[in-house]
Amino acid sequence: MRTLIATAACLFAATPAMAEPDWAPAVRADYTASLGGMWDWFHRNPELSFREVKTAERMATELRGVPGMQVTTGVGGTGVVGVLKNGAGPTVLVRADMDGLPVEEKSGLPNASKARQVGVDGVEAPVMHACGHDTHITAMVGTARRLAALKDRWKGTIVFIVQPAEERVGGAKAMLADGLYSRFPKPDYALAFHVAAGLPAGMVSASEGIQYSSSDSVDIDVPGIGAHGASPHAGKDPVYMASQLVIALQGLISRERQPLDPGVITVGSFHSGLKHNIISDMAKLQVTVRANDEGTRKQLLDGIRRVAGGIGTLNGMPADKMPVVKVIEGTPTTINDAPLARRLNAVMATTLGPKNVMPFEQTGMGAEDFAYLVQPDSKVKGYYFAVGGTPMADIVAARNGGAPVPSHHSPLFKVAPEPSIVTGTIAMTAAVLDLLGPKKAG
């Protein structure tokens, strides 16, 4: 990524500006007049997964304000669907996720969130847009407004999806289960973008293959037998057993995977006990598992079950007190349709200038439940792209020893809203126009 950023900086300085679309100034004007304030409201009022009631209400109101838009709420829980028809032609789905995260914001922004909310797990927590979903939904409104104003340039149907619970990788699946592809026009193409803190503002990037890894959230209960902390022989210590399990799980990566094939198992939460001198009767682990193909995904999940059972046997636990492994939520890999990605990457270069289209590089194993919308059996061709969120100067400064660029899900996370939203809106509008334009349809 460092080499790519340096290359981008050189290109940015050396490449002459291209003529932008004639409608792009209207996007910037919309940001100044409306979208900027909208983003501010979303950022101050984030909501947790499947609890996005106010966000959904605001998005439904904004989409209803777009001429010709038919809006349905409550799809898959809090999801919103807007349908904009303009004669015969293909159908394009445009998706934006809207949930926040249980993170206390420490960004220092004047509009930093102070919100708290009880999540679907029953736990009250601070809430923050620590992944940029506020920029996604704001850009969706900008895209819908612009496409409605450009109806003389396209024919077909656009389905706008305001999706809940991406952070729990459950919202897309819930909307599909609630009839997304049967109650509403089924798309030929599905498009989405994610703002990227590590990508310079004004730039975009998309793969011609894998864009995101799979993700599975795994809960592991490790039963014990309670006892006094001074008499460990009288019980079975679940903290000790769960600690063995935390270490043993890494062997699935370091000793059972081909070293050049990616895979991640991270224990993100470990809870047990209430007091210093009590051996509790339960330890609970929360684990995230990442892979780049279904074979690896299955291997890792099967391995977790096997290793957990082995820890129980190793410690002499009775059959009714063996560790229990549950996969509570997950999503497959997000794979861009290669011909579609080549086509729309070319559109990005034409629209934004070649200097602003960064070659795609997978630098982590993040995941996206957009994957459910473009599974092979759906026959829906997908294109998911990244939009830069941090000014180039900040990225270069970080590379040269300055303050690091905060990562997604960090309490310090922040992106520059204006270039993120304006670039995302222009890029998405251009992609839809290309797919529904009279000379490119089909």
Side-chain angles (χ1 to χ4, degrees):
M1 177 60 79
R2 178 171 293 188
T3 301
L4 290 175
I5 295 298
T7 302
C10 292
L11 285 171
F12 189 84
T15 306
M18 292 183 62
E20 65 181 12
D22 61 353
W23 44 264
V27 174
R28 295 190 176 87
D30 194 12
Y31 183 88
T32 300
S34 173
L35 298 177
M38 190 185 307
W39 172 82
D40 180 83
W41 188 89
F42 285 134
H43 192 81
R44 293 175 188 270
N45 296 281
E47 294 177 291
L48 295 171
S49 302
F50 289 124
R51 294 290 186 265
E52 314 95 337
V53 176
K54 294 179 182 178
T55 307
E57 289 177 352
R58 177 69 184 265
M59 282 300 292
T61 298
E62 297 295 344
L63 290 178
R64 287 190 178 107
V66 175
M69 186 80 72
Q70 298 296 314
V71 176
T72 304
T73 59
V75 182
T78 51
V80 179
V81 177
V83 179
L84 187 63
K85 295 183 177 181
N86 188 31
T91 297
V92 175
L93 180 149
V94 177
R95 175 270 208 169
D97 40 11
M98 61 173 164
D99 52 330
L101 283 158
V103 174
E104 182 181 359
E105 183 163 4
K106 300 177 182 178
S107 66
L109 294 173
N111 63 346
S113 169
K114 305 297 182 185
R116 297 185 64 85
Q117 191 178 28
V118 177
V120 294
D121 56 3
V123 177
E124 182 178 304
V127 192
M128 173 188 175
H129 270 302
C131 205
H133 295 186
D134 46 355
T135 65
H136 304 170
I137 51 180
T138 304
M140 170 177 277
V141 175
T143 300
R145 290 173 176 175
R146 201 51 31 219
L147 288 166
L150 296 170
K151 274 192 168 183
D152 59 330
R153 304 191 188 188
W154 61 272
K155 293 293 183 184
T157 299
I158 309 170
V159 182
F160 295 91
I161 303 302
V162 187
Q163 186 205 298
E166 185 278 330
E167 297 295 355
R168 297 187 67 95
V169 292
K173 194 173 183 179
M175 293 187 79
L176 287 167
D178 199 15
L180 180 61
Y181 283 177
S182 58
R183 294 167 55 192
F184 306 96
K186 183 180 178 181
D188 300 289
Y189 309 99
L191 312 179
F193 80 82
H194 204 298
V195 67
L199 187 67
M203 295 187 176
V204 299
S205 182
S207 171
E208 293 181 6
I210 184 168
Q211 185 83 15
Y212 287 106
S213 303
S214 67
S215 173
D216 290 284
S217 296
V218 181
D219 286 351
I220 307 177
D221 291 348
V222 183
I225 297 174
H228 196 292
S231 302
H233 63 286
K236 292 287 186 179
D237 187 350
V239 172
Y240 173 65
M241 290 186 283
S243 298
Q244 290 178 308
L245 180 55
V246 170
I247 300 302
L249 289 177
Q250 297 312 310
L252 296 173
I253 301 297
S254 66
R255 288 298 177 265
E256 297 192 17
R257 294 292 307 127
Q258 207 278 353
L260 299 181
D261 288 344
V264 168
I265 297 176
T266 295
V267 179
S269 176
F270 187 140
H271 288 277
S272 184
L274 296 172
K275 199 175 187 304
H276 305 71
N277 61 350
I278 299 174
I279 293 174
S280 72
D281 60 2
M282 179 66 70
K284 292 180 176 288
L285 304 181
Q286 293 181 323
V287 183
T288 189
V289 182
R290 307 298 171 106
N292 274 1
D293 62 82
E294 288 301 306
T296 300
R297 184 185 184 193
K298 183 178 187 302
Q299 180 187 19
L300 295 179
L301 293 174
D302 288 347
I304 290 172
R305 296 183 182 97
R306 170 171 53 83
V307 171
I311 293 296
T313 300
L314 174 67
N315 286 278
M317 294 300 292
D320 63 343
K321 289 188 177 295
M322 297 293 283
V324 176
V325 177
K326 295 180 180 179
V327 180
I328 62 166
E329 55 198 14
T331 185
T333 52
T334 297
I335 309 291
N336 281 345
D337 179 81
L340 179 63
R342 285 191 290 270
R343 172 179 172 177
L344 294 183
N345 280 347
V347 171
M348 299 298 165
T350 300
T351 304
L352 302 173
K355 66 183 175 61
N356 288 321
V357 181
M358 182 80 77
F360 177 80
E361 178 184 6
Q362 189 181 19
T363 58
M365 299 194 76
E368 248 291 347
D369 71 345
F370 177 79
Y372 281 111
L373 303 175
V374 294
Q375 284 298 286
D377 60 357
S378 73
K379 307 299 183 184
V380 178
K381 297 177 180 179
Y383 178 71
Y384 197 109
F385 61 101
V387 171
T390 301
M392 174 70 83
D394 292 356
I395 291 178
V396 172
R399 188 189 67 196
N400 292 330
V405 175
S407 70
H408 293 250
H409 294 210
S410 163
L412 305 177
F413 174 82
K414 57 183 176 182
V415 295
E418 182 170 5
S420 302
I421 292 165
V422 168
T423 301
T425 300
I426 292 174
M428 186 64 80
T429 301
V432 175
L433 287 174
D434 184 80
L435 294 174
L436 298 183
K439 295 181 181 180
K440 302 280 185 74

